[in-house]
Amino acid sequence: MTDLTTGSHLAGEEPADAPAVGSDGLRHALARVRSEVGKAVVGQDGAVTGLMIALLANGHVLLEGVPGVAKTLLVRSLSQALSLSTTRIQFTPDLMPGDVTGSLVYDGQTGGFVFREGPVFTNILLADEINRTPPKTQSALLEAMEERQVSVDGVSRRLPDPFIVAATQNPIEYEGTYTLPEAQLDRFLLKLTLDVPEREVEVEVLRRHAAGFNPRDLAGAGVTPVLDARQLNDARAAAAGVGADPDVLAYIVDLARATRRSPSVQLGVSPRGTTALLAAAKAWAWLSGYDSITPDHVQAMLVPVWRHRIQLRPEAELEGVGADAILRSIVQQVQVPI
């Protein structure tokens, strides 16, 4: 079973002059996006693929990793390569809902109140250290994630399309943090883990910095736009059109039901989790050049889509059993349709 967070590669990467026409052209262009992001970020191929799958499936991403593994740079580089707008919010305990959504401000010229858009009005919202803000602010972001809109003073305002949240959290520091509500965790399509790079990758990072690389100057690093929002929407439509045989749909349901029966799991995957796995598998199948999803596509996406959707029993956590290991064990136990 392939785990995308360990660096899977897109099929059919083409040279930079491949025309972005039709599904094949869009796939080639998305492969070029990986090359553009690679000019700034080294060794996080799996996370790049995961973010592109989230964009294709119109879902949000939770990035978990220790500080300094290029989570912010990854999101900024991807936005640059896709010609998408991006804003960053540093979540803190004193952050208010209006700091995220925007608020009404008094206009001295008109003598009335006007709405000033908050940073959530963007294509890719980088929510840095999302678990450091209190539940009241989390609830404001929850509406944006689920409804793609914000409500201020009784008026609902649509967010740009596409819109995804790429949230980061630190897995080792919990002082001054708030546990994310299960309802909000369930809105993240994927949870990707970014590890400290291998020695060779870290040497390459230092080599680039020694040669003058500036992570704050992506244009200077040579990261150029490859797709725009219109072409990305075309790719999303193509991915949504990937077929799914009834046997494969039943396989997804069997996997979900197995999580609910597992003795190590307190709360298994919900029906929203099965639809999320289907959407992610379709995106991965389309990127790989398939017209229909297979059990392999389902297995490849299962861990990043479901690792944050199951709650383990306390005794399992005390024994050091992790969600990833349980999910991989379930994949081995459930019969694969032939």
Side-chain angles (χ1 to χ4, degrees):
M1 181 174 64
T2 303
D3 184 349
L4 294 185
T5 59
T6 60
S8 300
H9 295 277
L10 288 176
E13 185 166 342
E14 292 294 323
D17 58 353
V21 178
S23 289
D24 288 341
L26 290 170
R27 270 192 289 265
H28 298 330
L30 284 167
R32 290 167 54 201
V33 169
R34 292 172 62 89
S35 301
E36 293 301 316
V37 175
K39 296 176 181 178
V41 180
V42 186
Q44 299 293 358
D45 291 345
V48 176
T49 301
L51 282 167
M52 288 196 293
I53 286 173
L55 282 165
L56 288 172
N58 200 27
H60 309 290
V61 181
L62 183 61
L63 301 170
E64 186 174 88
V66 298
V69 291
K71 297 187 293 293
T72 301
L73 181 61
L74 174 61
V75 174
R76 290 178 52 241
S77 302
L78 184 66
S79 301
Q80 175 91 353
L82 292 172
S83 301
L84 297 178
S85 63
T86 181
T87 56
R88 175 186 176 185
I89 305 176
Q90 184 66 48
F91 279 74
T92 57
D94 60 347
L95 195 72
M96 299 298 292
D99 298 328
V100 177
T101 62
S103 57
L104 294 174
V105 296
Y106 181 74
D107 187 344
Q109 293 182 345
T110 62
F113 287 89
V114 296
F115 179 71
R116 180 174 295 171
E117 293 183 349
V120 75
F121 285 85
T122 187
N123 294 128
I124 301 180
L125 176 66
L126 176 58
D128 214 352
E129 295 188 287
I130 190 174
N131 55 339
R132 288 196 176 276
T133 200
K136 186 175 183 179
T137 306
Q138 294 285 0
S139 64
L141 185 61
L142 184 59
E143 181 191 10
M145 293 174 65
E146 179 64 19
E147 306 296 338
R148 263 68 178 188
Q149 68 177 28
V150 297
S151 298
V152 179
D153 197 35
V155 178
S156 297
R157 295 173 170 87
R158 299 297 301 176
L159 296 175
D161 184 35
F163 169 76
I164 73 164
V165 174
T168 72
Q169 66 178 13
N170 186 338
I172 61 172
E173 187 178 3
Y174 295 102
E175 184 176 353
T177 63
Y178 299 82
T179 303
L180 293 181
E182 292 302 320
Q184 185 167 10
L185 278 175
D186 208 31
R187 263 66 176 191
F188 285 102
L189 177 71
L190 303 171
K191 179 182 178 182
L192 306 176
T193 57
L194 281 73
D195 297 322
V196 175
E198 300 291 338
R199 180 181 182 276
E200 293 75 12
V201 174
E202 197 165 359
V203 169
E204 173 62 17
V205 171
L206 285 183
R207 187 194 67 77
R208 293 189 180 192
H209 279 264
F213 170 70
N214 181 1
R216 298 171 185 82
D217 182 13
L218 295 178
V223 180
T224 57
V226 176
L227 269 77
D228 57 24
R230 180 187 58 80
Q231 293 169 312
L232 179 60
N233 283 333
D234 291 342
R236 285 164 55 184
V242 169
D245 292 336
D247 288 345
V248 179
L249 297 179
Y251 178 54
I252 294 175
V253 172
D254 289 341
L255 289 167
R257 294 176 67 85
T259 66
R260 301 165 197 161
R261 296 192 302 265
S262 172
S264 300
V265 177
Q266 181 171 292
L267 178 64
V269 173
S270 69
R272 181 186 286 125
T274 61
T275 59
L277 180 56
L278 174 63
K282 280 189 171 187
W284 178 235
W286 181 81
L287 280 171
S288 304
Y290 286 77
D291 295 327
S292 184
I293 63 172
T294 69
D296 286 341
H297 299 127
V298 173
Q299 293 176 3
M301 297 308 309
L302 184 138
V303 172
V305 173
W306 282 1
R307 58 162 51 119
H308 57 294
R309 299 177 190 271
I310 63 173
Q311 286 186 11
L312 304 186
R313 296 189 182 276
E315 52 269 29
E317 294 180 338
L318 289 174
E319 294 174 0
V321 178
D324 290 15
I326 291 173
L327 291 172
R328 291 190 178 100
S329 174
I330 286 173
V331 168
Q332 298 298 322
Q333 296 169 15
V334 175
Q335 183 176 358
V336 180
I338 299 176

